[in-house]
């Protein structure tokens, strides 16, 4: 955007921004849509309460939609699908409707649980076996001192 008079804020902008956020837009997208700089966008958010509220509502709606989709993907879901069959000798196509099942994703479920119930599901920190190294060396040295195989294969 070129330097000059600042763009005029319009009363219809909050509704436009809310709808754009609901469709997945981010701050930079909104600024581009209104043909303003990101700095002007943030100034509008700071000075126009209705614009700020609309942006927050739109973002919250999009976040809830993603959360619901993630939850569905974690648990699995079923949906109605249809397939169209048409052979050259047929007059009309055959439309077959059926239920399709998407099984839950266990990796996503585990990630969900690790975030939501970290104390129960967190992965113990792996130190690469370094914590046990002293014990392994001590045992190997003891075997050597006793005249046995240091690898413990005797």
């Amino acid at each position: 955007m070129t330097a000059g008079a600042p763009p005029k804020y319009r009363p219809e902008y909050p509704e436009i921004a809310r709808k754009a956020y609901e469709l997945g837009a981010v701050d930079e997208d909104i600024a581009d849509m209104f043909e303003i700089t990101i700095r002007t966008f943030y100034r509008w958010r700071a000075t126009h309460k209705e614009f700020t509220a609309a942006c927050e509502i739109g973002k919250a709606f999009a976040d809830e939609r993603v959360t619901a989709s993630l939850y569905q993907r974690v648990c699995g879901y079923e949906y109605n699908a249809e397939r169209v069959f048409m052979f050259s000798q047929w007059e009309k196509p055959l439309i077959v409707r059926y239920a399709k099942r998407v099984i839950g994703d266990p990796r996503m479920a585990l990630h969900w649980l690790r975030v939501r119930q970290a104390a129960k599901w967190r992965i113990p920190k792996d130190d690469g076996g370094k914590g046990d190294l002293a014990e392994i060396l001590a045992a190997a040295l003891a075997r050597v001192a006793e005249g046995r195989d240091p690898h413990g294969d005797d």
Side-chain angles (χ1 to χ4, degrees):
M1 172 149 236
T2 59
K8 299 284 187 194
Y9 175 83
R10 296 185 186 161
E12 63 268 17
Y13 285 172
E15 183 66 14
I16 294 169
R18 181 190 60 77
K19 288 179 181 177
Y21 275 118
E22 287 179 359
L23 294 172
V26 295
D27 294 349
E28 290 79 7
D29 297 330
I30 305 294
D32 288 344
M33 187 175 60
F34 292 136
E35 297 180 354
I36 58 174
T37 64
I38 195 69
R39 188 174 176 177
T40 300
F41 169 81
Y42 290 132
R43 188 174 63 248
W44 285 2
R45 286 198 54 174
T47 57
H48 300 282
K49 291 180 183 177
E50 68 283 355
F51 188 72
T52 303
C55 291
E56 289 172 0
I57 290 168
K59 284 182 176 183
F61 177 86
D63 291 347
E64 287 300 318
R65 192 168 169 211
V66 169
T67 301
S69 296
L70 173 62
Y71 182 77
Q72 260 194 322
R73 186 66 185 102
V74 165
C75 296
Y77 58 97
E78 200 170 283
Y79 66 96
N80 294 322
E82 58 183 43
R83 182 111 189 230
V84 179
F85 298 94
M86 180 70 187
F87 291 103
S88 58
Q89 328 56 333
W90 293 5
E91 302 265 329
K92 291 177 20 180
L94 172 65
I95 301 173
V96 178
R97 291 178 180 83
Y98 59 97
K100 191 162 185 174
R101 174 100 177 118
V102 176
I103 62 170
D105 185 335
R107 288 176 51 193
M108 288 180 75
L110 187 56
H111 179 70
W112 176 281
L113 290 168
R114 285 181 181 150
V115 170
R116 303 265 303 226
Q117 299 178 13
K120 286 184 183 177
W121 291 93
R122 74 172 154 244
I123 300 172
K125 214 171 193 181
D126 182 19
D127 59 4
K130 293 177 188 172
D132 299 329
L133 182 59
E135 294 172 24
I136 293 169
L137 288 174
L141 287 172
R143 284 192 297 274
V144 169
E146 295 171 4
R148 297 183 314 166
D149 184 356
H151 302 290
D153 293 335
D154 46 30

